[in-house]
Amino acid sequence: DAMVIQNPRYQVTQFGKPVTLSCSQTLNHNVMYWYQQKSSQAPKLLFHYYDKDFNNEADTPDNFQSRRPNTSFCFLDIRSPGLGDAAMYLCATSRDLTTDTQYFGPGTRLTVL
Amino acid sequence: KNEVEQSPQNLTAQEGEFITINCSYSVGISALHWLQQHPGGGIVSLFMLSSGKKKHGRLIATINIQEKHSSLHITASHPRDSAVYICAVKVGNTPLVFGKGTRLSVIA
């Protein structure tokens, strides 16, 4: 049974056209994370929510925004995608911020034309 | 700044071989994670360690806190073990710091 679900699995958008990626979880975890992973690189944390508390990484571009309307759902909005934003976007959850295991979704592969 | 180094970067093995992947980090940590990522796929958490050793099936993970070093072992390797294995460390409430991964190919 899927615990962290991401939709869509593949997303194609045009340069500058806003796009929203979706993540949902059935684990009732407090923390949800969004990572960007480019080819052959380690995942890079963009931001995370602890409950409704939003935490943005210092080097996350303003082009990336996030929403968490409730415990189960979290969205990644890319306001004006550039070619450099093409990547795999991974959502993850954990019960808390300290030592708990992170559960990752299958990812959304974003292509920007 | 906490840095995570993995070795080797790439590893090719014959089916049935015993495999070891190493991870070193530079500062004290609260937990270390081993993750598996198949090509084009999401990430699966294999182990979370703060001390000692854990075993799950053919996978064994060990950590030496004093030496700031962890190893992931795969016994009787199989082609389906082919994946990228990532070490990531946690310090308190700070985000996970990831290694660059080890790409493993197991050939039948």
Side-chain angles (χ1 to χ4, degrees):
Chain A
D1 293 332
M3 296 181 289
V4 182
I5 301 159
Q6 290 189 244
N7 286 305
R9 293 291 309 276
Y10 301 91
Q11 176 74 58
V12 180
T13 191
Q14 291 181 329
F15 183 94
K17 186 174 180 183
V19 67
T20 294
L21 309 183
S22 167
C23 178
S24 63
Q25 53 133 340
T26 60
L27 298 162
N28 204 34
H29 280 173
N30 291 315
V31 192
M32 294 186 79
Y33 308 82
W34 278 107
Y35 291 91
Q36 179 193 65
Q37 186 181 27
K38 296 189 177 179
S39 181
S40 300
Q41 295 184 20
K44 176 180 178 297
L45 182 65
L46 296 173
F47 23 61
H48 73 271
Y49 276 93
Y50 185 94
D51 195 13
K52 294 182 181 179
D53 184 23
F54 177 70
N55 296 273
N56 198 34
E57 292 302 297
D59 55 355
T60 298
D62 292 339
N63 198 23
F64 291 86
Q65 304 286 321
S66 185
R67 296 171 283 135
R68 190 179 185 185
N70 53 54
T71 300
S72 301
F73 284 87
C74 194
F75 300 98
L76 170 63
D77 300 308
I78 308 177
R79 294 193 296 189
S80 181
L83 298 178
D85 297 327
M88 174 75 87
Y89 289 88
L90 295 161
C91 174
T93 75
S94 65
R95 198 168 42 209
D96 60 43
L97 283 170
T98 54
T99 59
D100 199 36
T101 298
Q102 287 192 20
Y103 294 82
F104 285 83
T108 295
R109 183 165 295 282
L110 178 68
T111 300
V112 182
L113 301 177
Chain B
K1 181 185 173 186
N2 197 10
E3 296 189 344
V4 180
E5 299 286 338
Q6 284 187 239
S7 63
Q9 282 188 307
N10 295 284
L11 179 57
T12 300
Q14 289 292 125
E15 183 174 359
E17 283 186 12
F18 180 83
I19 289 163
T20 296
I21 300 170
N22 295 299
C23 176
S24 298
Y25 50 91
S26 54
V27 303
I29 62 170
S30 47
L32 182 143
H33 299 252
W34 281 103
L35 310 166
Q36 180 193 56
Q37 187 172 33
H38 284 280
I43 291 174
V44 174
S45 181
L46 299 174
F47 296 103
M48 185 181 69
L49 293 164
S50 53
S51 64
K53 175 180 172 179
K54 287 190 176 180
K55 183 176 190 293
H56 185 256
R58 294 180 295 106
L59 301 177
I60 303 166
T62 63
I63 189 167
N64 185 319
I65 296 294
Q66 287 73 32
E67 296 191 2
K68 297 185 174 61
H69 180 269
S70 176
S71 294
L72 176 68
H73 306 285
I74 305 175
T75 61
S77 59
H78 190 276
R80 65 175 175 265
D81 297 327
S82 299
V84 176
Y85 292 84
I86 303 170
C87 172
V89 300
K90 197 89 164 72
V91 180
N93 284 350
T94 61
L96 277 176
V97 177
F98 293 84
K100 292 184 178 178
T102 294
R103 186 175 298 277
L104 172 65
S105 297
V106 182
I107 300 168

